[in-house]
Amino acid sequence: MSYETLAADSSRPGEPTAILEDYERACGTFDWDETRRALGRPPAGGLNMAHAAVDRWVVNGLGNRIAMRFISRQWERRNYSYAALSGQASRFANVLDGLGVAAGDRVFTLAGRIPELYVTLFGALKFGAVYSPLFSAFGPEPVAARLEIGGGRVLVTTTSLYRRKVLPVRNRLPALEHVLLVDASGAELPPGTRSFPELMRAAADTWRIPPTDPEALALLHFTSGTTGKPKGAMHAHEAVVAHYATGRYALDLHPGDVYWCTADPGWVTGISYGAIAPLANGVTMIIDEEEFDAARWYRILAEERVNVWYTAPTAIRMLMKQGKELAAAHHYDRLRHLASVGEPLNPEGVVWGKEVFGRPFHDTWWQTETGAIMIANFRGAEVRPGSMGRPVPGIEAAIVRVRRDDEGNPVAAEPVTTPDTEGELALQPGWPSMFRGYLGNEARYRRSFADGWYLSGDMAKRDGDGWYWFVGRADDVIKSAGHLISPFEVESVLLEHPAVAEAGVIGLPDPVAGEVVKAYVELKPGHAGGDELALQLIGFARKRLGAALAPRSIAFSSQLPRTRSGKIMRRLLRARELGLPEGDTSTLEQGK
Ligand code: 6R9
């Protein structure tokens, strides 16, 4: 079935027109400096993300506008005005000061969608510290690896997450000096922790943002590669310029809108578009503490009168699975713009949005490294279902053919001009939210570039009209339910099990989650595979990695395919599993 191009949404009565109405014109006239100026400057000078997102609204007399509306599991609603958020963030900046934290130190959160996470984020930014989120569904291993690489000095978390995920690995984290618990005080505090609310109560709620160099580091977002440890992508305060601009152009955020981003703040989308871009655009954001629940989501969209909704293909497919009837319980007459990110969005999903909400989903593409949306379907333009859209104004993209040396390092990248030709999606560096490096891994950073292009690691095509179409990853990284998973991180944990000699981990296609993690395991002599051991290994992996990363299924193999240099060939495992052509097996070890 092919899908026809959908005409641009027309505004309904009372709706503002699209911010980006004329794509070509906007591309021709766009200027980062002009955008930068729109964000104002903190009194002490420079450019500070927290000032641009929060404080400037207070300075401009809009402090009473609601910045965040929390909906607790029990459906209690709690509002934070821009002024209240600014005051709380100032308190936290004072807390950091009192703890002796220095500018540039790393402040982490390990928490679900709770107000303290956002207070920590903006407080750390105001202070001049670097903020890094950890996904609350991570197990102790991914938590430890990221805190270790990031040299986390402060961690804000809950008592339960601390006991289950940090305490078991804390002796590996000498840099971690301060653990602040949001839900404990006095005698109930476990040893080596302090009370977040007590410290906050004792701190002043005013803070003068020090002069912030736009290039000073603000955010550290961990992402995954195929080999080696997680990579900490570093982002500067200046990234807020791109958050702001893309919030306008790609998400059509108008000041005063009600906006809901369903991404968890443990990942880049939940920070860039679940906190910074929306506030920089002066909207009220909805933050739901609860996990996915179709009936609840429809209720939120309707009752909170959401204008702009940013979600992900896995969620859209889960909603689709439950049928249109459930959606019909409400009216969504305020819903103006629907957007999606994180994985390929099936054309069916785009069109389903139109059927259920009267608006199609607008796919957007970007990565942890790009910090902000790079390619999008715009509200004011036609939508081509199945396409990621076109580069946002200010961004130059291309499809390139990459030549690599024997070690896989890119040596040349040449733009492909013939339409509909597959190649690697590349971007011309220089936009404000581009990552400034991988913390402590300069070599890996350098390998992301060739001939002046940033290489995304995604394969794509561009059609004759300049629209981009996703083809697949160029590497073995797994995207499951929108979460980027490193096969190496999963393999490393499996190898710690006494029965496991070798492990190869791949993503298997899944109709809802996009991909699910599957592990192939070679056992040590004296061990026999079977259902019981498979369950044991899954349990072992879940305990260490957490539910988000652990494999869903395990297969035993007496001989995993290896290259002559001994590396497990994941590509071949996948091809064999799916009955696909095996491709080039010239490096395969004989007889496998
Ligand atoms: C924001 C985010 C990045 C990877 C990216 C690509 C995949 C993201 C997509 C998409 C197809 C889209 N991806 N958006 N694939 N269509 N619209 O997800 O960041 O976690 O770093 O993942 O996600 O493979 O390279 P991150």
Side-chain angles (χ1 to χ4, degrees):
M1 184 171 173
S2 77
Y3 288 84
E4 283 175 19
T5 299
L6 306 171
D9 286 338
S10 47
S11 301
R12 296 182 189 130
E15 275 182 355
T17 51
I19 292 177
L20 190 143
E21 272 201 297
D22 182 338
Y23 178 73
E24 278 76 22
R25 217 186 73 198
C27 288
T29 57
F30 183 80
D31 175 14
W32 286 115
D33 283 332
E34 199 181 304
T35 313
R36 201 171 278 125
R37 279 194 294 276
L39 292 174
R41 289 169 144 256
L47 174 65
N48 185 289
M49 212 175 241
H51 177 268
V54 184
D55 287 18
R56 79 182 173 104
W57 300 104
V58 184
V59 177
N60 292 343
L62 291 166
N64 288 334
R65 181 182 287 167
I66 297 169
M68 322 193 280
R69 169 169 298 148
F70 284 91
I71 307 178
S72 75
R73 293 222 157 83
Q74 301 75 30
W75 204 282
E76 290 143 358
R77 293 149 92 239
R78 211 161 117 199
N79 291 331
Y80 279 68
S81 66
Y82 276 87
L85 176 58
S86 169
Q88 291 287 309
S90 288
R91 272 185 203 276
F92 189 67
N94 281 308
V95 167
L96 293 177
D97 198 33
L99 292 173
V101 170
D105 281 352
R106 264 77 71 184
V107 174
F108 281 72
T109 55
L110 172 64
R113 292 172 292 277
I114 56 170
E116 291 85 350
L117 182 147
Y118 302 85
V119 169
T120 302
L121 159 67
F122 290 110
L125 294 174
K126 277 191 178 192
F127 178 79
V130 179
Y131 171 79
S132 184
L134 294 166
F135 186 41
S136 57
F138 279 157
E141 278 308 317
V143 165
R146 287 157 181 77
L147 278 167
E148 208 168 355
I149 296 166
R153 188 161 178 203
V154 181
L155 171 70
V156 174
T157 184
T158 67
T159 310
S160 151
L161 289 170
Y162 176 71
R163 287 193 198 282
R164 287 183 291 135
K165 298 170 178 196
V166 184
L167 196 54
V169 292
R170 189 151 180 196
N171 59 358
R172 280 163 52 186
L173 304 168
L176 183 59
E177 254 176 84
H178 307 289
V179 175
L180 313 183
L181 302 183
V182 299
D183 55 354
S185 55
E188 52 190 33
L189 286 165
T193 67
R194 301 186 66 173
S195 166
F196 181 92
E198 274 176 17
L199 288 165
M200 287 288 281
R201 258 196 305 276
D205 66 355
T206 52
W207 172 265
R208 190 177 158 85
I209 298 176
T212 312
D213 181 347
E215 280 304 309
L217 292 188
L219 303 170
L220 180 63
H221 280 298
F222 283 91
T223 185
S224 298
T226 44
T227 56
K229 293 189 170 150
K231 300 177 283 182
M234 302 188 282
H235 289 281
H237 278 269
E238 206 204 20
V240 68
V241 178
H243 296 143
Y244 169 72
T246 53
R248 284 166 52 77
Y249 282 159
L251 300 181
D252 196 51
L253 295 177
H254 288 69
D257 273 349
V258 177
Y259 163 80
W260 187 25
C261 168
T262 60
D264 192 274
W267 301 87
V268 72
T269 306
I271 298 297
S272 287
Y273 294 98
I276 298 159
L279 298 183
N281 278 288
V283 311
T284 293
M285 43 181 211
I286 302 295
I287 297 164
D288 182 26
E289 191 186 9
E290 189 53 281
E291 296 308 317
F292 176 86
D293 172 338
R296 183 176 167 111
W297 278 31
Y298 290 127
R299 187 177 159 199
I300 292 178
L301 289 169
E303 276 187 21
E304 299 299 334
R305 304 170 150 218
V306 172
N307 303 118
V308 178
W309 183 29
Y310 198 23
T311 189
T314 294
I316 296 169
R317 289 188 290 261
M318 291 200 289
L319 292 172
M320 287 170 75
K321 235 174 97 174
Q322 304 214 12
K324 286 179 194 149
E325 300 71 32
L326 199 60
H330 303 277
H331 290 291
Y332 310 96
D333 45 351
R334 299 297 172 107
L335 205 51
R336 189 179 74 232
H337 188 61
L338 278 62
S340 161
V341 68
E343 353 147 28
L345 175 61
N346 340 31
E348 294 83 350
V350 176
V351 174
W352 181 85
K354 182 112 186 148
E355 287 166 10
V356 171
F357 301 106
R359 300 279 149 105
F361 277 102
H362 295 72
D363 194 13
T364 67
W365 176 93
W366 59 289
Q367 314 177 297
T368 303
E369 287 83 349
T370 72
I373 299 170
M374 296 285 110
I375 293 179
N377 287 274
F378 303 97
R379 175 174 168 235
E382 64 187 68
V383 172
R384 299 190 177 181
S387 164
M388 304 190 289
R390 290 173 290 176
V392 298
I395 298 301
E396 196 190 326
I399 298 295
V400 298
R401 196 169 291 120
V402 183
R403 206 154 39 79
R404 293 176 198 274
D405 65 17
D406 289 348
E407 269 113 58
N409 302 312
V411 287
E414 191 193 327
V416 176
T417 44
T418 320
D420 304 313
T421 310
E422 193 177 314
E424 194 162 337
L425 175 53
L427 300 160
Q428 199 59 233
W431 67 96
S433 65
M434 182 176 135
F435 71 135
R436 302 300 199 260
Y438 293 121
L439 185 67
N441 196 347
E442 177 63 23
R444 183 62 192 83
Y445 179 65
R446 266 187 269 112
R447 264 191 280 134
S448 308
F449 299 88
D451 279 336
W453 291 96
Y454 164 68
L455 308 172
S456 71
D458 281 354
M459 302 302 284
K461 294 179 187 175
R462 184 178 54 200
D463 68 22
D465 303 324
W467 295 66
Y468 284 80
W469 301 75
F470 184 77
V471 173
R473 296 277 315 186
D475 56 20
D476 297 330
V477 167
I478 301 161
K479 249 286 151 118
S480 183
H483 302 149
L484 204 61
I485 299 175
S486 154
F488 178 82
E489 203 167 8
V490 181
E491 289 159 1
S492 304
V493 159
L494 288 171
L495 286 173
E496 283 175 27
H497 190 278
V500 175
E502 273 296 354
V505 166
I506 61 166
L508 283 189
D510 180 84
V512 177
E515 286 187 308
V516 290
V517 180
K518 175 162 187 175
Y520 291 78
V521 164
E522 212 177 279
L523 294 171
K524 286 186 182 151
H527 295 274
D531 289 350
E532 201 179 317
L533 184 57
L535 277 176
Q536 213 188 82
L537 289 176
I538 291 174
F540 178 84
R542 280 181 80 100
K543 192 156 173 256
R544 281 160 199 244
L545 290 166
L549 306 187
R552 293 266 189 93
S553 58
I554 304 253
F556 296 103
S557 161
S558 55
Q559 238 178 14
L560 292 173
R562 281 188 190 77
T563 62
R564 275 188 288 270
S565 60
K567 273 208 305 216
I568 305 286
M569 291 179 86
R570 301 184 190 116
R571 181 176 53 79
L572 204 55
L573 284 172
R574 196 160 192 273
R576 287 179 180 170
E577 172 81 43
L578 300 175
L580 301 171
E582 296 197 356
D584 179 10
T585 54
S586 58
T587 58
L588 186 66
E589 198 187 352
Q590 285 306 303
K592 301 285 169 78

